[in-house]
Amino acid sequence: MPKFPRDLVRVLKEGRVLPFVGAGVSRAVTNRAGQPVFPTWRELLERAAQQLHADQKAEEARAVRARLERGEYLAAAQLARDGLRGRRWRDFLLHQFDPDIAEIDRSTLAWAESIWSLGSDVVVTTNYDRVLEWASPHPPACEHWPTKVPADYLAALAGRTAKPAVWHLHGMIQQIDSIILTSEDYDRLYSSSLQRRFSAALATLRSFLAHKSFVFFGFGFMDQRLLNELLGVVEDGRGGTGPHYAFVHRDESERLLPRVRALNLELVTFDEFGPPLVQLVRELGDARTARLFPKLTRSLDKQAPSLSPGAGEFGSPRGGGSEFVTERG
């Protein structure tokens, strides 16, 4: 029987869990030949450099690769977009993030499908693709919201949306102009002096963080601009937000601890990707209606490296850890 943090089961039963999905979930999707359908960020920028070279723009390609080698991904993306102007940039992104669903191995949507089993009618993501829509319980009815604040925000906050919806915080491939990818794009969303266009979107994110418990899936927590925004919400709330959670592979938990020293977030570790992880998430979904057993297992810090509410993916390990409960899956 799986062991989950007691507070996670509680907020799940209360309907206050909001899944937040990162690139790892889309990266798990393959085509019928078993190849990943979507690129990593580095692969995307390397492909952009290759396209620039094919377009007889060798100097621009070298500039992108130079930034990439220094780990300056946002700057590399900016150079790539500047080099692949107009329709070339649009066609490039469509080729990377808008595959024909007929080419997809549908069984590899299982992780995304399991996330919908947590009972939230809204899923937040920084991904541009349609994976969560494809994996939703009713794909034709699933709505997709771009970065700008969704019209149904208040209903979503109250858990009363009429249809399942995916909020693409960093834009979506259906609206190329909405995509947040380059340094200029990130400034438009997160810079305090340039936020006016997206101020409502950030206010929505902050409200969700204040009233919901986020559960992160497929995140490496390398996006410092997003982390800073989440941290600001936690600090403004003086620890009153959350608790929030992140499902991470056990081998990654130690690496992530330094990056999560201040968020009200706890790490929930798992041992294997693929079917074992899918089963774990589905069993968490089953916990929404399962009877809560009174027997407590070992504390979270004994079970795996963890962080407290008030600490977390951006916080220090808390003394005593978090209680776990055993659910009948």
Side-chain angles (χ1 to χ4, degrees), residues 30-199:
T30 71
N31 59 25
R32 295 177 183 274
Q35 300 299 315
V37 172
F38 301 104
T40 64
W41 200 356
R42 185 179 183 88
E43 287 171 349
L44 175 71
L45 297 174
E46 178 56 39
R47 292 175 188 179
Q50 292 171 2
Q51 185 63 59
L52 285 166
H53 195 273
D55 289 350
Q56 307 300 315
K57 296 183 177 182
E59 184 175 346
E60 289 91 335
R62 283 193 295 271
V64 169
R65 290 192 172 108
R67 294 282 188 164
L68 192 54
E69 289 307 311
R70 293 199 292 268
E72 298 173 1
Y73 285 22
L74 292 179
Q78 187 68 54
L79 291 171
R81 188 176 71 176
D82 291 345
L84 297 171
R85 292 192 179 95
R87 188 163 186 82
R88 294 295 287 160
W89 179 243
R90 175 186 175 83
D91 290 346
F92 173 74
L93 290 181
L94 284 171
H95 184 68
Q96 304 303 318
F97 295 110
D98 196 23
D100 185 341
I101 191 172
E103 301 172 0
I104 303 297
D105 177 351
R106 295 299 296 259
S107 70
T108 61
L109 294 174
W111 189 8
E113 290 170 347
S114 71
I115 291 168
W116 286 104
S117 75
L118 300 184
S120 176
D121 287 332
V122 177
V123 176
V124 183
T125 185
T126 50
N127 299 342
Y128 315 129
D129 56 67
R130 305 172 190 251
V131 165
L132 287 164
E133 286 93 329
W134 292 339
S136 70
H138 306 289
C142 187
E143 296 184 342
H144 42 264
W145 297 338
T147 305
K148 289 184 179 181
V149 61
D152 290 339
Y153 150 65
L154 291 177
L157 193 60
R160 296 194 303 268
T161 50
K163 300 178 181 179
V166 179
W167 183 23
H168 291 269
L169 182 63
H170 284 178
M172 57 191 187
I173 195 62
Q174 298 95 314
Q175 296 181 19
I176 296 288
D177 291 343
S178 72
I179 286 180
I180 305 296
L181 176 63
T182 70
S183 54
E184 184 179 286
D185 296 331
Y186 270 74
D187 284 342
R188 285 190 292 116
L189 179 59
Y190 291 117
S191 173
S192 59
S193 61
L194 299 173
Q195 288 179 349
R196 187 170 302 171
R197 178 181 174 188
F198 293 119
S199 59

